[in-house]
Amino acid sequence: MSINHFELNAVDRSADQQGKGASRRLRKQKLVPAIIYGGNEEPTSISIKINELVKSLEFEAFFSHILTINVDGVEHQAVIKDLQRHPAKGFPMHADFQRVVKGQKITMNVPVHFAGKEEAPGTAKAGVLSTLVSDIEISCIPSLLPEYLEIDVSGMEIGDLLRLSDIKLPEGVVINELELEDGHDRTIANMMPPTVEEVDADAEEVDAADVPATEQSDDTKDGE
């Protein structure tokens, strides 16, 4: 498996292998229940070896690539749409895959990579780059699906900000939020001024040796 091609092996689940009880039994067998839907076909319930799925999940690209799922020898092209993990242990418990149809647009959340932070003039002036998104929802035909969106921040000065509309998109890719009639061109990154810790000039540290000893009162008698 490479980060440019992901392939999973699965088996079809019969009706008696569905439901909560059946799913628990599958997990005890080191299998993850899943479903493939869409593409003008009936949903297909499947199970996948947990070690195969876990290995694929280690790659960010898995979430924004067209996947090949072999179900009893039949190949399905799909993208992952939802993944349920164990709330405490983090291992996958169920996965939803959507079939991909050639030439038919798909909607996906793809990762965002910010490039050029170290070269930015704002960084040279001790500015702090604040990034407000980790992924963005896009639409395109499957063949044009990008692995990620790269956002160049190398020209940012302190006080600059970037919005969704500033992203240079690959040909044929649109940001869904900007396509809406009431879409909001929100901020995705800004270069903040350096954080300066204020010091109170009047609050000086006083050494104990500099504090004079308490003088005796004038009416103190000798020998007392």
Side-chain angles (χ1 to χ4, degrees):
M1 182 196 311
S2 72
I3 61 172
N4 295 316
H5 180 73
F6 294 92
E7 188 169 334
L8 296 171
N9 294 302
V11 295
D12 199 335
R13 285 190 289 143
S14 58
D16 61 350
Q17 291 180 313
Q18 299 180 35
K20 290 184 178 180
S23 294
R24 283 194 294 268
R25 290 193 293 273
L26 286 171
R27 295 184 189 109
K28 288 181 179 179
Q29 299 171 32
K30 305 298 183 183
L31 297 171
V32 179
I35 189 169
I36 307 174
Y37 64 88
N40 301 319
E41 296 182 37
E42 290 296 318
T44 302
S45 296
I46 60 174
S47 58
I48 304 170
K49 290 182 179 179
I50 190 170
N51 60 333
E52 284 193 27
L53 184 56
V54 167
K55 186 176 180 180
S56 297
L57 293 173
E58 294 175 354
F59 298 92
E60 179 189 62
F62 179 77
F63 295 91
S64 56
H65 262 66
I66 307 299
L67 316 173
T68 298
I69 305 177
N70 294 310
V71 183
D72 297 331
V74 179
E75 289 190 353
H76 296 256
Q77 302 298 306
V79 292
I80 188 166
K81 295 297 289 185
D82 188 51
L83 179 69
Q84 297 176 24
R85 295 181 183 267
H86 189 279
K89 299 180 180 179
F91 59 78
M93 296 185 66
H94 191 278
D96 289 2
F97 298 94
Q98 180 181 343
R99 289 188 184 91
V100 168
V101 179
K102 186 177 180 180
Q104 189 177 97
K105 279 192 173 185
I106 57 174
T107 295
M108 289 286 293
N109 279 73
V110 296
V112 170
H113 292 178
F114 292 90
K117 173 186 173 182
E118 300 304 321
E119 295 79 24
T123 301
K125 299 172 185 175
V128 178
L129 179 67
S130 174
T131 58
L132 307 176
V133 296
S134 58
D135 57 71
I136 292 174
E137 185 181 75
I138 63 167
S139 290
C140 63
I141 60 174
S143 61
L144 298 179
L145 180 64
E147 182 177 326
Y148 58 85
L149 296 178
E150 184 170 284
I151 301 173
D152 183 12
V153 298
S154 61
M156 293 187 71
E157 294 273 6
I158 291 177
D160 286 352
L161 58 82
L162 293 177
R163 299 184 183 276
L164 285 173
S165 58
D166 294 318
I167 300 176
K168 293 182 179 180
L169 296 169
E171 184 178 355
V173 176
V174 298
I175 296 175
N176 290 351
E177 198 167 343
L178 295 179
E179 296 297 298
L180 299 174
E181 186 175 338
D182 57 348
H184 177 50
D185 190 12
R186 57 191 169 99
T187 300
I188 57 174
N190 50 37
M191 185 67 77
M192 307 290 290
T195 302
V196 179
E197 186 175 344
E198 295 185 2
V199 178
D200 189 350
D202 296 329
E204 298 181 358
E205 188 175 339
V206 180
D207 193 288
D210 296 332
V211 179
T214 304
E215 296 182 357
Q216 295 180 332
S217 60
D218 293 339
D219 59 348
T220 302
K221 296 181 180 179
D222 291 338
E224 291 185 352

